[in-house]
Amino acid sequence: MDDKPIDKNIILNELNELHSLDHDYADGRILGSMCTEAHPFAKEVYCKFLDTNLGDPGLFKGTKTIENKVIESIGELLSLNKAYGNIVTGGTEANLMAIRAARNHARKYKGITDGEIIIPDSAHFSFKKAADMLNLKIVEAKLDENYKIDVESVKSVITDKTVAIVAIAGTTELGLIDPIEEISKIAYENNIYFHVDAAFGGFSIPFLKQAGYDLPVFDFSLEGVCSITVDPHKMGLAPIPAGGIIFRREEYLEVMAVDSPYLTVKTQSTIVGTRLGASSAATYAIMKYFGKEGYLKLAKNLMENTIFFADNLKKLGYEIICEPELNIVAFNHPKMDTNVLAEKLEDKGWKVSVAKCPVAIRVVLMNHIKRNHLEELLNDLKELY
Ligand SMILES: *Cc1c(COP(=O)(O)O)cnc(C)c1O
């Protein structure tokens, strides 16, 4: 740190210079991010709530009410009448809370002290962090030939140490939806906690279904589902950080509660202490501002771009890994190595993401990628073919 105060303008100049090294969503070149530019109204509201602290809700009763209302709205979207949960920093923290709830619940009611969690091969790496922090063993269920969790494989790896089963509604690499209904049944019959990671799909699947897309049930209408992760900072257009964790029952929060002596509430179930009220307020605002109608339009528009892109890739001779279910297209050149193609696209100014399973170029069609950007990208891909 400097000894003496420095003039604001000098500081701002330095920061602006560094900020200019960042990539901008608006130029449509960021192809692999699941985040996007937040809606201006959500940003405006976010700034108003910067000083609120949901870690001490007795001091911020209004903002706490806003968080409760957001959780209720997201719960309703996921077919749950009375929802419990929190707006957290993202899918990672939401998944961590879900797995912690499952572990503590199994410890309390089943006496399991060395638990295991069953996750698909396609699971987000946040579950590795959760297992590491919570001292749980990861057991990976295989994927079927369509890159979805294999139901028989899940059955075969259940043991008396299993504390949770995880399935995904919108996988990070391919945007696919696991057979949640079948897994829910298995979890329910075996009395095992079932968590659905809809970090990516949660803000689009319900609307796409309304729009007539034929997508499977993934929510609390399935009796085995205990919790769902949904990220407002992905297709919800809320500013980062905003993740959502929704629990079916209050007891899942209760098994995580620790005493919080110096605060206005007696116990705390969240992982972080001092935490943003701004994320809840901004999410609340943007959900009201869009309504179901606005999100339906957005989700439909993203899917139309996805299908446009996939169809044109095929016309050019590229091979797509699977028919997209959500707004992700993964593809390869029939002969060129994926990493070589990725480098060539990077040379042309695209910020490319390469999926690992299977290896493929992965384009997440977020709101910042417009038709004209796709046309430019397809032109470059035509040249490189
Ligand atoms: C994005 C994502 C996560 C992680 O979310 P963060 O907000 O980056 O912490 C977890 N699971 C899935 C399926 C995701 O798509």
Side-chain angles (χ1 to χ4, degrees):
M1 209 197 301
D2 301 284
D3 289 333
K4 293 256 185 286
I6 290 178
D7 183 77
K8 273 188 205 164
N9 286 321
I10 297 173
I11 301 168
L12 285 174
N13 280 342
E14 184 193 343
L15 290 175
N16 285 339
E17 206 171 294
L18 290 169
H19 195 19
S20 72
L21 300 176
D22 295 342
H23 285 281
D24 198 349
Y25 288 115
D27 67 11
R29 298 264 148 174
I30 300 179
L31 301 180
S33 174
M34 299 186 121
C35 292
T36 189
E37 189 172 355
H39 191 279
F41 180 50
K43 292 194 220 185
E44 184 189 325
V45 172
Y46 187 94
C47 292
K48 281 193 204 303
F49 282 77
L50 279 179
D51 293 325
T52 60
N53 171 18
L54 286 176
D56 210 349
L59 301 180
F60 298 94
K61 288 203 175 77
T63 306
K64 182 60 201 167
T65 304
I66 297 171
E67 184 185 39
N68 293 345
K69 279 170 174 268
V70 177
I71 294 301
E72 193 182 306
S73 297
I74 299 178
E76 186 226 305
L77 203 60
L78 303 173
S79 313
L80 190 62
N81 284 333
K82 180 86 187 79
Y84 303 90
N86 294 100
I87 294 299
V88 294
T89 54
T92 300
E93 193 185 342
N95 287 340
L96 178 55
M97 274 184 78
I99 298 305
R100 181 167 172 239
R103 182 200 64 171
N104 290 10
H105 199 264
R107 191 167 59 195
K108 182 169 176 190
Y109 293 103
K110 296 183 187 168
I112 300 174
T113 52
D114 54 345
E116 300 173 349
I117 55 170
I118 300 172
I119 65 171
D121 256 341
S122 54
H124 186 264
F125 54 80
S126 49
F127 291 102
K128 291 196 176 140
K129 297 181 186 173
D132 183 41
M133 282 186 259
L134 298 167
N135 206 17
L136 295 166
K137 187 179 151 204
I138 285 187
V139 179
E140 274 182 341
K142 289 198 186 70
L143 302 185
D144 64 16
E145 69 280 7
N146 300 315
Y147 306 104
K148 296 184 181 193
I149 194 169
D150 183 90
V151 178
E152 288 308 312
S153 167
V154 172
K155 274 191 197 162
S156 72
V157 292
I158 291 176
T159 70
D160 53 12
K161 291 181 179 175
T162 307
V163 300
I165 301 173
V166 173
I168 327 262
T171 56
T172 308
E173 294 207 318
L174 301 175
L176 296 175
I177 304 166
D178 281 329
I180 312 273
E181 187 165 5
E182 276 135 291
I183 305 290
S184 168
K185 216 183 230 164
I186 294 167
Y188 193 76
E189 282 166 8
N190 288 277
N191 188 27
I192 296 170
Y193 188 103
F194 179 36
H195 174 64
V196 175
D197 183 0
F200 183 65
F203 259 92
S204 69
I205 301 168
F207 306 111
L208 289 173
K209 283 169 83 84
Q210 270 185 41
Y213 284 79
D214 181 24
L215 297 174
V217 187
F218 77 105
D219 66 11
F220 289 104
S221 58
L222 304 167
E223 59 189 348
V225 175
C226 300
S227 53
I228 303 182
T229 288
V230 180
D231 271 0
H233 70 201
K234 291 180 178 168
M235 264 87 83
L237 297 193
I240 58 171
I245 177 67
I246 312 290
F247 291 104
R248 183 190 288 276
R249 283 190 280 276
E250 197 170 18
E251 66 185 78
Y252 296 130
L253 283 171
E254 285 164 2
V255 293
M256 290 193 281
V258 298
D259 294 338
S260 49
Y262 65 87
L263 300 180
T264 51
V265 283
K266 297 274 166 297
T267 64
Q268 203 172 75
S269 297
T270 47
I271 291 160
V272 295
T274 300
R275 61 190 186 91
L276 288 155
S279 300
S280 283
T283 303
Y284 182 78
I286 192 64
M287 285 179 76
K288 281 261 170 196
Y289 186 69
F290 274 8
K292 287 187 182 146
E293 214 177 284
Y295 279 118
L296 187 148
K297 220 168 115 189
L298 173 68
K300 224 175 124 188
N301 181 37
L302 298 179
M303 275 318 286
E304 280 162 8
N305 279 345
T306 304
I307 289 161
F308 168 82
F309 184 53
D311 284 351
N312 279 288
L313 278 174
K314 285 187 248 177
K315 276 186 202 148
L316 291 177
Y318 286 91
E319 291 166 354
I320 63 168
I321 300 298
C322 54
E323 286 303 324
E325 288 185 341
L326 297 178
N327 47 322
I328 297 181
V329 179
F331 68 97
N332 279 312
H333 187 280
K335 297 212 181 65
M336 200 188 303
D337 178 78
T338 308
N339 289 306
V340 171
L341 177 59
E343 259 172 51
K344 291 188 178 190
L345 284 169
E346 288 273 343
D347 289 344
K348 287 185 176 287
W350 300 99
K351 306 316 294 171
V352 179
S353 157
V354 177
K356 290 282 164 297
C357 177
V359 175
I361 304 239
R362 157 185 175 272
V363 176
V364 188
L365 288 107
M366 297 301 286
N367 195 40
H368 58 271
I369 303 178
K370 307 292 183 201
R371 246 342 135 91
N372 60 309
H373 302 127
L374 289 176
E375 278 158 6
E376 283 173 47
L377 177 58
L378 286 162
N379 264 339
D380 283 348
L381 283 164
K382 188 175 174 184
E383 238 172 69
L384 292 171
Y385 190 79

